[in-house]
Amino acid sequence: MTEGVLLAIFAGLMLGLYALPEKFTKGFKYENTWSLFFLLTMFVVPIIASVTLIDGFASIFGHMPTDIWIKMGLTSFLWGVGVMMWSKAINHIGLSLGFSLFIGTIILVGSVLPFIEDGLPPTNKLTTILLGLFVVLIGIFANGKAGFIREKVEKANHENKEQKGSMATGILIAVIGGLLATGFSYANAAGRPYLHEASQAAGNAEWITAVAVMFPIFISGGLVMTAYFLWQLTTKKAWGDFKTPAFGKNFVLILVMAFFHYAASALFAFAAYKLGASGNTVGYAIFNTSCVVTAIISGIITKEWVKASPKARKFLYVGLSCMVIGIVIVAYSNSLA
């Protein structure tokens, strides 16, 4: 159990930091960076990793039952749509509130969704898991409150751009996007049993199952993400910005982002396996919460909260504390009989 918890935390740490190299790119617009990122992380890295690392790759996926293909493909596609909706929600309600609502929905629904495939755990374990998720959600929304207060002050000081849409519309988009993004969790739960058995039969190591599970998830989810950013490149007339002297350096930095993003997701899948019967639920909660905690702490370290009011920082620290306590409770639930 301990190994699974640590792997899930480390996966969340990687996901929380994967976008850091983006700060060092030059000459690229937002659309250039993220279209290239999604192309690499959703197609190039998964395809190379899967074909190179999985013995019997063609046979494993060639014999995968149609119903599993449909389950994984459809829910992964919905995951991609959800991520795109989150990016639109930010235009309406700002990054902090949008992030909190989106991730809060993912943690609450995405952690419970695998029960459809795995079945409910014993009552004492289920109760403890739900208690931990509740504490995590308190922390998520406390951080959202902190961000909301900070953004309000920055807007008053003319340091923040005006939001482009209504608050109600943004909240609705963020919550629906979060619901759709939980497709990642379901796809992992639906595909892993077959892929693990087939991968083991082909003589692969246990951890290779995680690579196999990510292949259909990333390819399906990548279709909508890549298409969206290709459209954005055209709309914003950003294709010409790829012609920059810094392209080589930018490409390497974005490739590092793509690798870390993919590796974090694959590591979560392996952590879920190591956590046992309720691993999809427990691992997903720990994974996403660790990601949020990492992102917030990195923001504190890089002095994003220096100008925030004492009230905003108070909510921030309360939120962080609740999320850490919630992680501990969820991790403890996996030790219960």
Side-chain angles (χ1 to χ4, degrees):
M1 185 200 80
T2 302
E3 182 183 4
V5 171
L6 292 176
L7 287 172
I9 291 174
F10 187 66
L13 177 67
M14 290 178 67
L15 192 64
L17 294 175
Y18 86 89
L20 190 60
E22 188 264 345
K23 294 180 180 292
F24 302 100
T25 58
K26 295 180 179 178
F28 272 11
K29 290 181 179 177
Y30 172 86
E31 290 77 17
N32 299 101
T33 299
W34 291 100
S35 59
L36 182 56
F37 166 76
F38 280 118
L39 177 65
L40 292 173
T41 197
M42 294 295 178
F43 297 104
V44 177
V45 174
I47 290 173
I48 292 176
S50 299
V51 173
T52 303
L53 297 175
I54 302 173
D55 290 335
F57 171 82
S59 177
I60 290 172
F61 288 101
H63 291 90
M64 189 160 82
T66 303
D67 65 313
I68 297 179
W69 271 115
I70 293 173
K71 286 180 180 179
M72 294 190 76
L74 179 59
T75 53
S76 299
F77 184 83
L78 293 178
W79 165 54
V81 174
V83 173
M84 292 303 98
M85 289 184 70
W86 171 65
S87 69
K88 300 301 291 183
I90 293 172
N91 290 334
H92 293 267
I93 57 178
L95 179 61
S96 296
L97 186 57
F99 189 79
S100 297
L101 288 172
F102 181 75
I103 294 295
T105 304
I106 283 180
I107 291 176
L108 177 61
V109 180
S111 298
V112 177
L113 208 56
F115 290 149
I116 296 174
E117 292 288 327
D118 302 336
L120 292 174
T123 303
N124 61 333
K125 179 177 285 190
L126 177 61
T127 302
T128 308
I129 289 173
L130 293 178
L131 175 62
L133 290 176
F134 178 71
V135 175
V136 167
L137 286 174
I138 292 175
I140 291 288
F141 285 104
N143 285 324
K145 179 68 173 178
F148 189 75
I149 294 171
R150 193 186 85 171
E151 288 175 353
K152 187 177 180 180
V153 172
E154 289 176 347
K155 185 178 179 180
N157 293 333
H158 305 288
E159 293 178 6
N160 199 21
K161 293 181 180 179
E162 294 231 3
Q163 292 161 359
K164 299 178 182 178
S166 71
M167 181 68 69
T169 301
I171 290 173
L172 183 63
I173 294 173
V175 172
I176 293 176
L179 288 172
L180 294 178
T182 59
F184 180 94
S185 175
Y186 181 82
N188 176 68
R192 195 181 68 193
Y194 162 78
L195 288 171
H196 179 67
E197 183 178 344
S199 178
Q200 291 288 283
N204 291 291
E206 283 187 342
W207 64 272
I208 292 295
T209 298
V211 178
V213 171
M214 289 304 107
F215 179 74
I217 291 178
F218 271 61
I219 297 299
S220 299
L223 292 174
V224 63
M225 294 183 188
T226 303
Y228 172 78
F229 275 101
L230 290 177
W231 173 67
Q232 285 288 294
L233 282 170
T234 302
T235 303
K236 302 293 178 64
K237 299 180 179 179
W239 288 100
D241 290 286
F242 282 116
K243 297 178 181 179
T244 170
F247 179 84
K249 177 185 175 182
N250 290 351
F251 182 86
V252 172
L253 289 170
I254 295 170
L255 181 61
V256 171
M257 288 169 57
F259 174 78
F260 267 73
H261 177 264
Y262 171 80
S265 301
L267 190 59
F268 150 70
F270 186 55
Y273 165 73
K274 284 292 186 180
L275 284 166
S278 299
N280 289 312
T281 291
V282 173
Y284 196 68
I286 294 173
F287 171 59
N288 280 288
T289 307
S290 299
C291 170
V292 177
V293 170
T294 301
I296 292 172
I297 291 176
S298 66
I300 294 174
I301 293 173
T302 55
K303 299 182 179 181
E304 289 181 5
W305 291 84
V306 168
K307 297 181 180 179
S309 67
K311 184 179 180 181
R313 288 197 294 270
K314 180 180 178 181
F315 273 106
L316 181 72
Y317 299 143
V318 169
L320 278 172
S321 300
C322 286
M323 284 192 290
V324 171
I325 293 170
I327 284 181
V328 172
I329 295 173
V330 171
Y332 170 72
S333 73
N334 211 53
S335 68
L336 299 176

